[in-house]
Amino acid sequence: MADTFSLQRVLETFRSSLSEKKEVYIKYYIAGWQELVAFMNSLGNVFSFISKDVVSKIQILENFLSGENRSHYVTIQSMVKYELENDLVDLTKRGSHPESGCRTLLRLHRALRWLELFLERLRTSTEDSKTSVMCSEAYNESLAQHHPWLIRKAVGVAFCALPGRDTFFDVMNAGDHTQVVALLGESLPLIAEVYQITEDLYAKNNLLELP
Ligand SMILES: CCCCCCCC/C=C\CCCCCCCC(=O)N[C@@H](COP(=O)(O)O)[C@H](O)/C=C/CCCCCCCCCCCCC
């Protein structure tokens, strides 16, 4: 991973995550999240409880990717098939498989929806738009529905420490504001496609509420 965040690289990793058959490569999906975590770390310690959670989930998936059953963890589709066929997923309450690939990836999948909603707000924002408002609106429409009160409160506090819109645009390292907006316009359909493919797969297999 490079030192400085670049929106272009996030776009490339999510683009690489889609196979010709429209399956999602876990390796690149994780790489996209690693880029985003690097960005979040650059925002300061107030976000460390969030990035630690993402890093631990990335680590769980990386262990599957390099473990003895790695051939089943190439795509999200192959992972779901393998874990379901071999009863490796806690479907209704946490039991012998508390850290299955399916439930771990589901947490990142829900966060991807937050990202999509937030970036769409950023893309269409105006000079006086507040990142904290855009972030919390996107959060309330997505992840918040899956988080208990205490987490929602902590996340609300963290949002207040977000830098302004101009800083976000600069940190993306994608040129001037017009170029950033154009790149966001290119990135969002890709992120949305990866999200939708995963959502449909999880819905088809009744995996959207894994404990
Ligand atoms: C393109 C540049 C601009 C955007 C860059 C954004 C970078 C964001 C990077 C990561 C986003 C956060 C991902 C959060 C994943 C949360 C997964 C989750 O829901 N975990 C909870 C449930 O897990 P289990 O307990 O069931 O294992 C866990 O309880 C949560 C813990 C921490 C709170 C997570 C809050 C997420 C808030 C999302 C907004 C992040 C704001 C970042 C600001 C840029």
Side-chain angles (χ1 to χ4, degrees), residues 5 36 39-40 53-54 57 103 107 114 147 155 162:
F5 176 81
L36 293 165
F39 173 79
M40 200 164 42
D53 184 67
V54 186
K57 287 173 171 55
R103 75 87 64 188
R107 270 52 183 179
W114 164 79
H147 288 163
V155 168
L162 281 173

Side-chain angles (χ1 to χ4, degrees), residues 5 7 10 33 36-37 39-40 43 47 49-50 53-54 57 94 103 107-108 111 114-115 118-119 122 135 139 143 146-148 151 155 159 162 168 172 184 211:
F5 176 81
L7 180 61
V10 174
W33 278 108
L36 293 165
V37 166
F39 173 79
M40 200 164 42
L43 297 181
F47 297 94
F49 77 104
I50 303 177
D53 184 67
V54 186
K57 287 173 171 55
R94 295 188 83 173
R103 75 87 64 188
R107 270 52 183 179
L108 296 180
W114 164 79
L115 183 72
F118 173 59
L119 293 183
L122 206 55
C135 234
Y139 176 71
L143 275 172
H146 305 282
H147 288 163
I151 296 273
V155 168
F159 285 159
L162 281 173
F168 262 87
M172 287 192 211
L184 283 172

Side-chain angles (χ1 to χ4, degrees), residues 75-86:
T75 64
I76 299 181
Q77 286 74 7
S78 64
M79 173 187 77
V80 165
K81 184 170 185 295
Y82 169 70
E83 289 197 343
L84 287 181
E85 283 178 358
N86 291 281

Side-chain angles (χ1 to χ4, degrees), residues 23-122:
E23 297 199 342
V24 181
Y25 292 117
I26 297 175
K27 176 181 165 187
Y28 294 109
Y29 189 91
I30 289 176
W33 278 108
Q34 280 167 329
E35 291 289 342
L36 293 165
V37 166
F39 173 79
M40 200 164 42
N41 285 341
S42 74
L43 297 181
N45 288 342
V46 70
F47 297 94
S48 64
F49 77 104
I50 303 177
S51 62
K52 272 186 193 145
D53 184 67
V54 186
V55 167
S56 77
K57 287 173 171 55
I58 290 173
Q59 189 58 59
I60 292 169
L61 293 171
E62 276 185 334
N63 291 346
F64 284 124
L65 250 64
S66 59
E68 57 183 328
N69 296 312
R70 58 184 170 276
S71 62
H72 300 291
Y73 288 87
V74 175
T75 64
I76 299 181
Q77 286 74 7
S78 64
M79 173 187 77
V80 165
K81 184 170 185 295
Y82 169 70
E83 289 197 343
L84 287 181
E85 283 178 358
N86 291 281
D87 294 327
L88 295 172
V89 186
D90 291 338
L91 294 171
T92 50
K93 64 178 169 73
R94 295 188 83 173
S96 44
H97 304 291
E99 294 190 337
S100 65
C102 287
R103 75 87 64 188
T104 302
L105 195 129
L106 175 63
R107 270 52 183 179
L108 296 180
H109 168 66
R110 290 169 177 165
L112 195 63
R113 177 68 179 152
W114 164 79
L115 183 72
E116 183 191 340
L117 293 171
F118 173 59
L119 293 183
E120 176 55 17
R121 278 173 169 79
L122 206 55

